[in-house]
Amino acid sequence: MSNLGQFDSDFYQSNYTIDNQDQSSEDSNAYGNLYGSRQQQASEQLQAAFVPQEMLMSSGYEGQFFQPASNPDYYSQSSYIDSFDEEPPLLEELGINFNHIWQKTLTVLNPLKPADGSIMNETDLTGPILFCVTLGATLLLAGKVQFGYVYGMSAIGCLGIHTLLNLMSSSGASYGCVASVLGYCLLPMVILSSCAIFFSLQGTFGTVLALVIVGWCSLSASKIFISALNMEGQQLLIAYPCALLYGLFALLTVF
């Protein structure tokens, strides 16, 4: 039995004491403090990376944060505003220039007035469309519904004159320019159709008036064409096909 008791005492004997237990708890606390300090240091570094330096300064700092000085002359000298001021008006961008329309109208009304080639060589269709609609409206007031004939003859006539001018001139003319000139020169024909509202043109006076209007239209158109295309000395050659075209409108108006 003595041997068994000695075996038990030897088996349960250990060098681990209370002092060792206290030492291990101190080591764990030291490790925890070290881990906590490292974690706190990492969080401070992360905060310093995302927070501006000015916000980390002491509250005793007096000043304005993130308020750059404004320059009142910046917007006045901006290139965008300068380009916006230099832009042409909206109607002029759409091809509607009332000054040019008025000058072209005066050139047509006065066959003896010299034509400005720089203004006439434009694809301005505002005036021609207005004159075509006015011609159809005056014919309608005279009891003739001829809108289709007016538009059809205008398109076919512009195509024929455009082909002829490209064959005769070295520079050539665009279809829009030809349509613009022929449309503006339709204004005297509007005057003839307006006269048909008040009295009949089927007579000697009506025939003479129609011939005068046809000569007026063809002379104005040929004058503008030779000025825009530099075709000096060929006015009569251009006036003849223009007279044939405006003669169709005169027949449509008289009869």
Side-chain angles (χ1 to χ4, degrees), residues 66-85:
F66 301 107
Q67 294 183 0
S70 60
N71 186 6
D73 297 333
Y74 173 75
Y75 294 100
S76 62
Q77 297 177 357
S78 176
S79 59
Y80 174 76
I81 296 181
D82 291 341
S83 61
F84 181 77
D85 293 336

Side-chain angles (χ1 to χ4, degrees), residues 22-34:
D22 294 336
Q23 184 178 2
S24 63
S25 62
E26 291 176 358
D27 294 338
S28 63
N29 291 332
Y31 177 74
N33 292 332
L34 179 60

Side-chain angles (χ1 to χ4, degrees), residues 26-44:
E26 291 176 358
D27 294 338
S28 63
N29 291 332
Y31 177 74
N33 292 332
L34 179 60
Y35 176 75
S37 63
R38 290 182 177 179
Q39 186 177 8
Q40 182 179 3
Q41 184 179 3
S43 62
E44 290 178 355

